Amino acid sequence: MRQTAPEGRGPVRYGPPAPESGLPVLPGLAALLAAAAGRTEPEPPGGGPVLRGAAAGYWWRRGLRTHAEDVVAAPGAAPLLLALIAAHGGDVLLPRPCPAWWTPQARLLGRPAYHVPTPAECGGVPDPYALLETVRRVRAEGGSPRLLLLSVADDPTATVAPPELVREACEAAVAEGLHIISDETWRDTLHRPHETVLLSPAEMCPDDVTVLTDLAGALTPAGWPCAVARFPPTAPTRADRYADRRARTLDILTVLGALVAGPVAPAAAHALDEPEDVTVRTRTTATLHGSIAAAAHRAVLAAGALARPPQAGRHLYADLGPLRAGLAARGVTDSLELENHLTERLGTPVPGGHRFGDELGALRVRFDTAAFLGTAEEERTEALASARPEESPHVARALSTFEGALDELAR
C-alpha cells in the first residue's frame, strides 16, 4: 500500500492495490513484449481483433459463448469499470466488503453506491434477501438502482461463492431490473480447483451479465495493464446505438484515451490463449499462494481471531474483533488504527477493512500472501518450486513473525 505524508493521505490515492503474485515475469511473455517494443501505436479503442479474439477464446473454454465483437479491452480494470458504470447509468449496488477500487469508480461519476451485506459463508456476492430489501429501500427514497457489482472469486475475502447463492442473488437482481457486472479477475487463482465449484453469473443469466477480467489476476504482470469485458451477445436486429452498452463503453474509453499499449497487446493475447507455459505458471502460482494463505489462516485461528478459509487469490481477510481487548490496550480501536499498527509491526502494508467498505469500527484487515515470499527474486523463485513453500526458511521466518505479532495481540 502506497505511503505518504500524513497531510497528503487520502483513501483513493493511497488505497491498497490488488494483491500481486510477487513472481518473475514468464520469459515467453517478456520476449513478446520486447519484440513489440518498437510498436509506437496503441491498440484501437476496445482492442484489436487479435486481442479480442484471444479473449473470446478464453471465455469459450470456460463455457461462455463469446465472439470478438462481444469483447472490449482496456488498459486495466479501473478505466474499464469506470466506462461500464458510465454506460449503464443509475445507482450502483456493491457487496460489503468489496474490492477497494470499486466504490471510488461510482463516486467519481457522481453515482450513489450502496453496500449490501454478504452471507456468513462467503464474500463477493450479496445476500439475496438483503439485496431485495436494499433495492426497495433505495427506490422508496427516490433512488434508481440499476447496476449490481459482484465477484464470485472475491477480493478481499478470498472466498468463492457457492453456486446456489450465486443463482439466488442473480435471480433476485434480474427480477428487480438490475444489470450485473461480474468481476472474475480471480477465477483462475483457485487454490484447489478440483474441489471448488465456481459458477459465473453469465452462465445463468446470459442476457443480463457483463463479465470483467483483469489479466493481472492470474495471467500477466500488474505493470502491463490490460483488462477485458465480455458483453451479452446481441442479435444484429436488436443493435441500437443508444441502448448498446458495448458501443457506449467504447465511446467512453475513446474519450478517456484508455487504449491498450501496443507492446502489451501481443503478450496479453498470448496469455489469453493459455499456452502451456502460462497455464503451468498460473496453476503453480495459485498453489503456492494457497499454501501460504492456509498457513496464515491457521495462525489467525490459533491466535483466537476469525477468518473464512481462503479459497482463491493471494490474500486472507481476517477479523481481529475477538482480540479487541489486547488491541485496545495498544491504542487500537478501529480498522484504521489496526492498519497502522500491523503495517508498522510487520513491515508490510496491511490494509484495514474500512478500505473495502466495512465499518470503521470492525477490526478487519487483509493480509497479502506475497509478503511472505521474501524480497529477493531468488527467494520467491525458490518458494514457487517448493512442494511445501511454507517450510522454506525465509517463508517460515516470515510466518513466525506473523504468528508472533498476532500472539502479542492475544495477550
Side-chain angles (χ1 to χ4, degrees):
M1 188 169 58
R2 304 171 185 86
Q3 303 297 309
T4 185
E7 63 272 14
R9 196 177 185 88
V12 175
R13 285 173 292 147
Y14 305 103
E20 297 185 17
S21 71
L23 298 171
V25 178
L26 275 173
L29 295 181
L32 285 167
L33 185 74
R39 181 177 169 184
T40 58
E41 295 292 326
E43 289 280 285
V50 174
L51 178 56
R52 290 186 290 109
Y58 169 88
W59 277 305
W60 268 108
R61 292 189 294 275
R62 285 154 181 78
L64 296 177
R65 181 174 63 86
T66 312
H67 298 93
E69 57 268 25
D70 303 322
V71 175
V72 164
L80 186 50
L81 180 61
L82 183 76
L84 289 170
I85 295 174
H88 283 83
D91 301 346
V92 182
L93 301 182
L94 315 163
R96 183 192 299 273
C98 68
W101 59 279
W102 280 9
T103 306
Q105 303 289 318
R107 288 177 177 167
L108 184 62
L109 292 167
R111 301 286 175 75
Y114 301 93
H115 288 273
V116 184
T118 53
E121 65 264 36
C122 70
V125 176
D127 178 87
Y129 297 102
L131 174 63
L132 291 171
E133 178 59 31
T134 302
V135 169
R136 289 163 188 165
R137 175 177 57 82
V138 171
R139 285 178 176 154
E141 295 172 355
S144 178
R146 294 176 60 184
L147 201 58
L148 169 65
L149 273 61
L150 52 77
S151 54
V152 286
D154 185 45
D155 170 26
T157 64
T159 58
V160 176
E164 58 274 15
L165 172 64
V166 177
R167 179 177 295 279
E168 290 173 6
C170 290
E171 288 177 348
V174 171
E176 292 295 330
L178 304 180
H179 186 79
I180 299 166
I181 296 179
S182 176
D183 183 352
E184 299 182 12
T185 294
W186 302 102
R187 71 168 297 153
D188 296 318
T189 67
L190 300 184
H191 300 163
R192 296 179 177 83
H194 299 298
E195 302 174 16
T196 308
V197 178
L198 187 151
L199 186 65
S200 170
E203 297 179 60
M204 295 175 292
C205 307
D207 295 330
D208 299 287
V209 177
T210 298
V211 180
L212 170 68
T213 297
D214 189 343
L215 272 63
L219 299 175
T220 61
W224 304 0
C226 186
V228 289
R230 174 198 179 271
F231 289 78
T234 304
T237 55
R238 292 167 49 205
D240 178 348
R241 184 166 184 78
Y242 296 98
D244 185 350
R245 299 297 190 271
R246 181 179 181 275
R248 293 178 64 183
T249 300
L250 282 172
D251 288 343
I252 295 163
L253 291 174
T254 303
V255 170
L256 294 173
L259 311 177
V260 176
V264 169
H270 180 78
L272 284 165
D273 284 335
E274 298 181 291
E276 185 178 6
D277 62 333
V278 172
T279 56
V280 169
R281 169 60 72 85
T282 299
R283 181 71 260 126
T284 55
T285 300
T287 301
L288 165 64
H289 284 278
S291 298
I292 302 299
H297 180 248
R298 291 192 292 271
V300 167
L301 297 185
L306 304 172
R308 298 182 181 101
Q311 298 172 285
R314 304 186 280 261
H315 47 284
L316 175 71
Y317 200 58
D319 183 353
L320 304 190
L323 309 182
R324 188 175 293 273
L327 287 164
R330 291 164 174 79
V332 177
T333 60
D334 60 31
S335 63
L336 177 58
E337 294 169 344
L338 180 60
E339 172 185 295
N340 292 333
H341 175 80
L342 287 175
T343 295
E344 181 179 359
R345 175 65 177 81
L346 296 174
T348 188
V350 182
H354 60 286
R355 297 186 180 272
F356 307 102
D358 257 334
E359 300 87 351
L360 182 64
L363 296 173
R364 300 186 182 117
V365 289
R366 188 188 72 187
F367 298 107
D368 293 3
T369 50
F372 296 94
L373 300 181
T375 56
E377 183 174 313
E378 296 78 10
E379 291 178 331
R380 296 183 173 213
T381 303
E382 175 189 334
L384 182 65
S386 174
R388 297 186 64 84
E390 68 276 15
E391 296 179 0
S392 298
H394 64 282
V395 176
R397 285 194 298 271
L399 285 169
S400 178
T401 300
F402 179 69
E403 292 167 359
L406 294 176
D407 287 342
E408 289 173 6
L409 302 179
R411 301 193 199 109

